[in-house]
Every structure is written in structure tokens, then in C-alpha cells.
Amino acid sequence: MREVIGVGDMKVSDNPEIEQITFSLGSCIGVVIYDPAVNVGGMLHFMLPDSEIDKDKGIARPFMFADTGIPRLFKGAYKLGAKKNNLKVVVVGGSRLMAQQVSFDIGKRNYLALRKIFFKNNVMTDYEDVGGNVNRTVRLLIRTGDVFIKTSGVGEIKV
């Protein structure tokens, strides 16, 4: 069963029948985590680096922001039995869209916010496909932990 993670959304699961997927990651970033010991995985699709720009929206839609969404993704997986030391972590997106000016580069700002949070919490990534100027789609199979990234103009790879 396919579970779509929309923009500003997050889901975690231990259901082996679930395939999580998020589409069209441009400047947004997709974070995928998976614990193979308990077959628990999750995915976050965040848009912006910092909820401080709109505190009310940060409360109402925490998955829109790196600083509020990333902790909730990890905590959601922990509630299903995942352990931090077991997690496979994949980061996808953070592109610079053609219309963006270098000074505004939200993709880069999103990535830097993620790196800051990961550094502070001692989280290492297993694979990253970030930057550039392409859209990406990422999917996670809860049964196996397999992660697939489809890049515009390149096709899909298993990471």
C-alpha cells in the first residue's frame, strides 16, 4: 500500500505492506529514516529551515520546517521501537530552482538547517543526494528498508 508524504508532511510506520513516497523534492528536503532491527521507517518532506519566521504556522504545521519536523520524525520512529544507533538516514533534495536567486537559495538554507540539527544531535547520514537544480522523488519500502531515488533526467536508483 502506497503512503504519500506531501509537502510539509511526515509519516512513520512499522507496517511491512507500506511503501512511503514523496514527490518533486526541489528546494524542499526529504529525510528518510529506517531501523532494520525492528523494521520501522519514516519520511519527512519539509519546506523551510526555521519555524521562527512564522511561529503560528510552526505550531499548526510543524512538518513544514526543519527545526520542528526533524525532531518529530525521529521521535515518531522511537515510539514504534526504533533506536537511534540502528537508524539508516537518507537525505534528498535541497536543489536550487532556476528562478531562485543565489542570495535566497532556500534549498541550501534547508540543507544547512538540517546539518546543524544533525550535528547537534550526533546524527550521521548514510546517503545524501542534495543540491543541483533537479527535482527528485524518494520512496521507502518498510518491509526491507530499501530506499529509491528518482532524479529528473537520470532515472531511479536504489541507495
Side-chain angles (χ1 to χ4, degrees):
M1 182 170 72
R2 182 173 270 190
E3 190 172 66
V4 176
I5 288 73
V7 177
D9 194 10
M10 184 278 293
K11 291 186 174 53
V12 294
S13 181
D14 60 359
N15 181 343
E17 302 304 314
I18 296 291
E19 172 195 58
Q20 293 182 339
I21 188 166
T22 193
F23 298 98
S24 298
L25 290 161
S27 61
C28 293
I29 290 187
V31 181
V32 180
I33 61 175
Y34 186 78
D35 182 340
V38 291
N39 295 340
V40 169
M43 187 179 295
L44 167 69
H45 182 147
F46 72 85
M47 299 172 56
L48 297 167
D50 190 355
S51 63
E52 291 295 313
I53 63 170
D54 188 336
K55 290 184 183 194
D56 291 336
K57 193 169 275 189
I59 292 167
R61 298 200 54 211
F63 306 124
M64 285 181 63
F65 304 95
D67 67 325
T68 50
I70 291 171
R72 283 172 171 78
L73 171 66
F74 281 78
K75 288 175 185 173
Y78 299 155
K79 284 182 183 176
L80 293 177
K83 303 284 186 232
K84 181 179 177 180
N85 293 337
N86 295 339
L87 289 176
K88 173 182 175 183
V89 180
V90 176
V91 176
V92 181
S95 295
R96 179 184 302 150
L97 302 178
M98 296 287 198
Q100 288 182 343
Q101 293 183 359
V102 175
S103 61
F104 186 67
D105 198 347
I106 194 68
K108 183 175 182 180
R109 290 173 50 211
N110 279 338
Y111 181 70
L112 291 174
L114 173 136
R115 294 301 323 150
K116 181 178 176 184
I117 293 164
F118 279 13
F119 179 78
K120 182 179 177 183
N121 292 283
N122 199 28
V123 173
M124 302 300 291
T125 57
D126 293 279
Y127 188 86
E128 295 184 8
D129 187 358
V130 296
N133 60 1
V134 294
N135 285 325
R136 298 169 178 95
T137 293
V138 63
R139 61 189 180 97
L140 166 66
L141 304 180
I142 298 296
R143 178 182 309 280
T144 62
D146 290 337
V147 177
F148 300 87
I149 301 170
K150 183 177 180 183
T151 305
S152 298
V154 176
E156 185 174 71
I157 63 165
K158 179 181 170 185
V159 298

